[in-house]
Amino acid sequence: MSVDSLWSKIDLSVKGSSSQGTASETEEASVENTAKAWPKWKVRLLDVIGSIAWFYVIVKLFIFDADNYLVQRFAPGVEPVLNYRFLIAGGILALLVLFSKGRRLKYLYVFFFPLIVAFWKIPKWFYKAKSWVAVFTFLNVTATAFRHLKFNVTTRFLAALALVGVSVSRSNVILGVSAVYLGLYFLLLMARTIWFSLKPSHFLKSQQTIIDKVSSASFVAKITAVSPELRDASLEKFSAAQLTTFQSNLGMAVLCSRATYYWAYQLEKYRTSAASLVLSTVAYASLYVQGIIVFSVINWSILKMDPSAFAYSGSPSFLQVAYYSLFHGAGSALTPVSGAAVAVKIATNVVAPLFITALITQFLINRRQVEQDAAAEEAIKRIKAAGAELENRFRQEYEVSTEEAIARLQALGENFFLTAITALSAQLPPDYDAE
């Protein structure tokens, strides 16, 4: 069937009444939602309460059983009640949600606060920032964290156990094993930080894979194609529902192509931005802090195993040991005496210039690497090719160009797809899809 007969089935008069009713209902719903919105002070108060509550939960589960400690110290008589604290807390929460009509949403807000942060507050912040560089930076960090989740969780959990072992144990075996592990952990962490700061980004290449899978997915072909029902020769005019379906499919087809080009363009801007340099700087700063902690704990464990390993006056505190362990090697109240103490001090003095050299090298080559990363350029090129493939697909389906499709969507009336297409096209450079 020719495209003329397909487009000749359009009768704009069939969509007048329903669209007005929908607009009226949408306007009423918008007014109602605005009227019920919480004031800012209440949202901020709930944010504070949610942050404190979940901070307590995380500390209790993974770091320190604070309520047990407080009860044992100040109210040992009520210690048996702690065995039922989760049952009591769950029951109180259920009663509050069920019988507090005006406050149940507030209790649920606190209860699901991590999900609200992840799926509402963070996306809202990115929307207000209007910076795709920030979005891609966040996605890059998140993807990297999940990609190396097993390694990071395992090594950091063992490092936390080593820290606890040094702080609470007096066994030379536990102190020695913990100190050795922390030293190996820091060396491995330093090597990985330098390696990941120099190698090409895996994130950009992964975007190419995602776009390829989405663009070739069967559901994308289904929602962008003209259904056989609408191409039926016996159908003379589209009904209101059929016209809406046709308009949605055409809008989705154009939007998929425009969105893919837009994604490629924003990735290109991200690749040439200073985001990679910022991430590397944060990684090196974290490495520096962890290095100070590791060497401080190692020296502290040596001092606990052998008080004569250092020359000092009085009884040195952990802060004095930490000051002695700083990378810049400033003088302190401690002087290494034993072989182990001297070896750790030498290692500290070797790591410090190595760390500074790696940091300076990173600053010097990072920008050039970001701008000339051939792998990233190839990924962006492939994403643009996927956009061109989607555009060719809807041209064959509807037999109109991108510009003509947008014009016909405008003639069909304002909708979400047209608004999104116009917004994306306005931010693309001229003839970006022709490059």
Side-chain angles (χ1 to χ4, degrees):
M1 181 175 293
S2 68
V3 69
D4 291 335
S5 59
L6 179 64
W7 289 94
S8 66
K9 297 178 181 181
I10 296 176
D11 182 5
L12 297 180
S13 63
V14 301
K15 60 179 297 184
S17 59
S18 61
S19 62
Q20 290 177 358
T22 302
S24 176
E25 291 172 2
T26 303
E27 184 178 353
E28 291 177 2
S30 177
V31 172
E32 184 179 355
N33 290 337
T34 304
K36 294 182 179 180
W38 289 344
K40 289 184 178 180
W41 68 265
K42 185 174 291 186
V43 175
R44 289 171 182 168
L45 178 60
L46 290 173
D47 289 342
V48 172
I49 295 173
S51 300
I52 294 174
W54 279 96
F55 177 77
Y56 163 76
V57 171
I58 292 172
V59 169
K60 176 174 177 54
L61 291 179
F62 301 106
I63 301 176
F64 177 64
D65 195 348
D67 48 6
N68 261 337
Y69 172 78
L70 293 174
V71 167
Q72 289 174 2
R73 180 158 187 175
F74 299 105
V78 299
E79 189 173 351
V81 179
L82 291 179
N83 297 327
Y84 306 97
R85 56 183 175 270
F86 291 110
L87 179 62
I88 295 172
I92 292 174
L93 178 63
L95 291 174
L96 290 174
V97 171
L98 290 174
F99 297 103
S100 301
K101 294 183 179 179
R103 297 188 180 92
R104 63 180 59 173
L105 287 179
K106 301 177 182 62
Y107 298 133
L108 292 174
Y109 184 96
V110 173
F111 185 76
F112 292 105
F113 186 70
L115 296 179
I116 292 172
V117 171
F119 296 104
W120 171 247
K121 289 189 174 294
I122 292 177
K124 183 180 178 182
W125 181 87
F126 285 130
Y127 175 77
K128 288 185 176 181
K130 299 186 184 301
S131 172
W132 277 98
V133 172
V135 173
F136 284 125
T137 302
F138 175 77
L139 292 176
N140 190 0
V141 172
T142 304
T144 302
F146 277 100
R147 188 164 172 248
H148 304 283
L149 183 63
K150 290 183 180 179
F151 174 84
N152 291 332
V153 170
T154 302
T155 55
R156 283 164 172 75
F157 176 72
L158 293 176
L161 286 181
L163 292 175
V164 173
V166 172
S167 63
V168 303
S169 177
R170 294 188 176 276
S171 168
N172 287 352
V173 174
I174 294 177
L175 291 171
V177 170
S178 299
V180 170
Y181 174 77
L182 288 173
L184 294 175
Y185 164 77
F186 178 73
L187 290 177
L188 181 60
L189 184 64
M190 185 172 184
R192 286 172 61 86
T193 301
I194 296 174
W195 169 249
F196 285 125
S197 66
L198 298 178
K199 67 177 296 189
S201 172
H202 181 272
F203 172 72
L204 289 171
K205 192 172 182 180
S206 68
Q207 299 305 298
Q208 170 194 330
T209 304
I210 294 172
I211 294 296
D212 286 343
K213 288 183 178 179
V214 172
S215 61
S216 60
S218 58
F219 80 91
V220 173
K222 183 176 181 180
I223 62 177
T224 58
V226 180
S227 65
E229 176 192 356
L230 301 182
R231 289 189 178 276
D232 190 353
S234 61
L235 180 65
E236 296 183 359
K237 295 291 182 182
F238 292 148
S239 65
Q242 290 171 332
L243 181 57
T244 300
T245 301
F246 176 80
Q247 183 181 6
S248 298
N249 289 351
L250 175 61
M252 181 61 74
V254 180
L255 180 60
C256 286
S257 175
R258 293 288 90 187
T260 305
Y261 281 121
Y262 182 77
W263 196 261
Y265 175 61
Q266 296 299 335
L267 277 173
E268 196 167 353
K269 289 174 63 178
Y270 170 75
R271 180 179 65 84
T272 56
S273 71
S276 179
L277 187 61
V278 171
L279 290 178
S280 295
T281 303
V282 172
Y284 276 97
S286 173
L287 180 66
Y288 180 81
V289 173
Q290 291 185 73
I292 294 175
I293 295 173
V294 164
F295 281 108
S296 300
V297 174
I298 291 175
N299 285 317
W300 183 252
S301 65
I302 293 175
L303 182 64
K304 290 181 70 174
M305 286 189 293
D306 182 12
S308 64
F310 298 91
Y312 51 86
S313 59
S315 180
S317 65
F318 181 78
L319 288 178
Q320 289 176 312
V321 174
Y323 179 72
Y324 160 81
S325 305
L326 290 176
F327 286 136
H328 55 69
S332 67
L334 282 79
T335 303
V337 174
S338 71
V342 172
V344 172
K345 190 60 178 177
I346 292 174
T348 306
N349 292 336
V350 169
V351 166
L354 181 62
F355 176 87
I356 295 172
T357 302
L359 182 60
I360 294 175
T361 303
Q362 169 67 17
F363 271 92
L364 290 177
I365 72 173
N366 185 275
R367 186 67 185 180
R368 184 177 64 183
Q369 177 186 333
V370 169
E371 293 177 348
Q372 298 181 0
D373 188 352
E377 291 178 358
E378 177 63 22
I380 293 171
K381 182 179 178 181
R382 290 286 300 275
I383 293 174
K384 292 177 67 176
E389 174 62 28
L390 288 169
E391 185 172 355
N392 290 333
R393 192 185 302 172
F394 88 72
R395 283 188 180 186
Q396 293 174 2
E397 193 72 22
Y398 297 91
E399 298 186 13
V400 292
S401 65
T402 303
E403 293 74 16
E404 188 175 354
I406 294 175
R408 289 180 183 262
L409 282 171
Q410 290 172 340
L412 290 173
E414 185 73 19
N415 67 353
F416 166 77
F417 298 108
L418 180 59
T419 303
I421 292 166
T422 304
L424 294 180
S425 300
Q427 297 185 52
L428 288 174
D431 300 325
Y432 184 75
D433 52 352
E435 297 179 6

